[in-house]
Amino acid sequence: KMAADTSVEILQKVLENEILQTTKVVEEHLDAEMQKLDQMDEDELERLKQRRLEALKKAQQQKQEWLSKGHGEYREIPSERDFFQEVKESKNVVCHFYRDTTFRCQIMDKHLTILAKKHVEAKFLKLNAEKSPFLCERLRIKVIPTLALVKDGKTQDYIVGFTDLGNTDDFTTETLEWRLGCADIINYSGNLMDPPFQSQNKFGTSFTKLDKKTIRGKKYDSDSDDD
């Protein structure tokens, strides 16, 4: 037992030492940055300010451009033809193929409405699968709900049902946000290696990246139980 206690003490000391070292590095970095600012003359500070203002202006212009193309809200498109037009206009598109009678589509709607407002860098759409047979055939969509994740006009990835979202109807908006971040469709600020559902102990660290060819099933299998 004494040996075990000693091991714990040693481990604690090592950890404390590492934390102190890290703090020291951060402090030194901050000191260096402060010193750099102190040493800057007025012209340099003015140039820095101008660069920051230009970057802000550019970001604002980009945001306005996205909003003018229908980003910032989750909306339904009426037809397959609209889908092609929409994905041509925007770099990152999330399209929810849904069906009115599938309960899980309503769950997906709720989360996508929140994320569309938060992530204006992507366009969030929904399309009735029963009104778009050609597209569903072409994208091999068999399970409802399916999210097609389109980048630069090409469908790069799919979220089929809730398998990648912790396999539960109660998945959080953060979980879907993380999964979209994994596909590089939105700018995700969290740690991709640390899925939000980990803390719920519902799922492992891995998620299934589905290739078009791996989606099986009869015409529009429902991922919901209440058909």
Side-chain angles (χ1 to χ4, degrees):
K1 191 173 185 306
M2 274 185 70
D5 287 347
T6 310
S7 298
V8 169
E9 277 177 29
I10 291 169
L11 191 61
Q12 277 179 332
K13 284 202 165 64
V14 168
L15 284 171
E16 280 168 17
N17 192 39
E18 277 190 14
I19 290 164
L20 280 171
Q21 290 299 322
T22 307
T23 310
K24 198 177 164 201
V25 169
V26 171
E27 281 175 357
E28 283 172 3
H29 180 71
L30 279 172
D31 285 346
E33 288 296 313
M34 293 298 285
Q35 204 176 345
K36 216 188 286 178
L37 281 172
D38 287 342
Q39 287 167 356
M40 273 187 176
D41 60 27
E42 278 186 27
D43 284 350
E44 281 178 314
L45 278 170
E46 191 54 43
R47 278 198 295 274
L48 187 66
K49 203 166 121 187
Q50 281 304 117
R51 277 206 299 274
R52 292 249 166 95
L53 281 170
E54 277 165 31
L56 277 171
K57 201 171 155 189
K58 208 170 173 185
Q60 197 53 39
Q61 282 172 343
Q62 174 67 84
K63 189 178 176 182
Q64 286 308 320
E65 190 189 323
W66 280 330
L67 293 174
S68 73
K69 287 178 179 173
H71 292 227
E73 58 173 334
Y74 175 49
R75 57 198 168 83
E76 179 155 9
I77 49 172
S79 71
E80 295 176 317
R81 191 177 290 161
D82 295 277
F83 173 85
F84 292 107
Q85 188 54 43
E86 296 277 4
V87 300
K88 206 192 292 178
E89 280 179 4
S90 298
K91 184 179 171 68
N92 297 311
V93 179
V94 177
C95 188
H96 173 200
F97 285 85
Y98 81 97
R99 187 174 55 180
D100 282 325
T101 53
T102 303
F103 167 67
R104 282 188 170 162
C105 292
Q106 294 164 33
I107 297 174
M108 194 62 93
D109 284 341
K110 183 184 73 175
H111 297 295
L112 291 171
T113 301
I114 296 165
L115 291 174
K117 289 186 178 76
K118 185 177 177 182
H119 290 281
V120 292
E121 70 275 11
K123 183 185 276 182
F124 287 79
L125 306 170
K126 64 187 291 193
L127 182 57
N128 190 325
E130 292 175 318
K131 291 181 183 172
S132 45
F134 167 75
L135 204 49
C136 287
E137 184 67 29
R138 181 169 164 178
L139 299 178
R140 296 196 177 94
I141 288 166
K142 305 285 187 189
V143 173
I144 301 296
T146 286
L147 299 187
L149 311 181
V150 188
K151 202 170 187 66
D152 295 316
K154 293 187 180 74
T155 309
Q156 303 277 22
D157 198 357
Y158 296 89
I159 301 174
V160 179
F162 295 170
T163 313
D164 294 356
L165 306 171
N167 248 339
T168 171
D169 287 0
D170 299 328
F171 69 88
T172 61
T173 304
E174 289 72 29
T175 301
L176 180 56
E177 186 178 25
W178 164 82
R179 180 61 181 84
L180 293 172
C182 289
D184 196 27
I185 284 289
I186 58 167
N187 300 332
Y188 184 69
S189 56
N191 178 4
L192 288 174
M193 300 305 288
D194 185 21
F197 48 70
Q198 285 283 83
S199 56
Q200 298 167 22
N201 295 323
K202 291 203 177 176
F203 206 52
T205 43
S206 65
F207 69 92
T208 322
K209 182 165 178 180
L210 283 147
D211 181 70
K212 272 195 272 193
K213 293 185 281 298
T214 65
I215 302 165
R216 296 271 182 265
K218 64 181 186 298
K219 191 168 173 62
Y220 307 138
D221 282 343
S222 174
D223 197 45
S224 179
D225 300 323
D226 74 335
D227 278 341

